[in-house]
Amino acid sequence: MAKRLSREEKWSKAVVDIINQMFIIAGHDVTYDDIKDRKDAWYTDWTMTVEQNEEWRLWGKKYLMKQLRLYASQAEREMSMVSLMWGLKFSNWEQYNKHESTDSPAV
């Protein structure tokens, strides 16, 4: 019979799964195992689009709600923190930001 994971072990597994999924969505052939021992700013070596980041954060929110039984608002907050700490830099931030500013009405 498999041992039940502690809350801390579930969180550790979740971080690994979320980072692996980030690389999959961003289209990079990298895994958590490739970067886990690096002490540099490894997350700047690869990029993802703003849209890929949104897809990843939505995936992570659903994952956290299911695996760790978080409420939606808690899962969103956790994914914001994960994205801030380990999220890849955006390859299209300038275009996205320019697009966003032209869509908003003048005040």
Side-chain angles (χ1 to χ4, degrees):
M1 188 166 162
K3 173 185 158 295
R4 294 182 89 185
L5 297 178
S6 69
R7 187 118 178 109
E8 192 173 294
E9 290 168 327
K10 286 181 183 178
W11 269 105
S12 295
K13 181 185 179 322
V15 168
V16 172
D17 291 345
I18 289 169
I19 289 175
N20 282 335
Q21 188 65 25
M22 173 182 67
F23 284 124
I24 290 168
I25 290 173
H28 300 296
D29 191 24
V30 182
T31 66
Y32 174 82
D33 290 334
D34 297 327
I35 54 96
K36 69 179 178 183
D37 295 323
R38 289 180 57 174
K39 302 290 185 226
D40 63 339
W42 58 264
Y43 40 83
T44 61
D45 290 350
W46 300 277
T47 61
M48 69 188 331
T49 65
V50 173
E51 295 79 14
Q52 287 170 330
N53 182 267
E54 290 169 355
E55 177 186 344
W56 171 60
R57 287 172 64 157
L58 180 61
W59 179 91
K61 173 185 170 184
K62 290 176 183 175
Y63 175 92
L64 291 172
M65 289 172 67
K66 182 176 181 183
Q67 298 299 320
L68 298 177
R69 299 181 182 194
L70 298 182
Y71 291 114
S73 60
Q74 292 172 310
E76 283 178 24
R77 187 171 46 247
E78 291 301 327
M79 278 308 295
S80 292
M81 293 305 297
V82 169
S83 182
L84 184 64
M85 290 186 293
W86 299 302
L88 302 179
K89 65 182 178 178
F90 295 133
S91 59
N92 67 336
W93 178 251
E94 292 79 20
Q95 297 93 335
Y96 181 81
N97 202 24
K98 189 185 307 177
H99 178 69
E100 284 289 306
S101 62
T102 58
D103 286 347
S104 56
V107 179

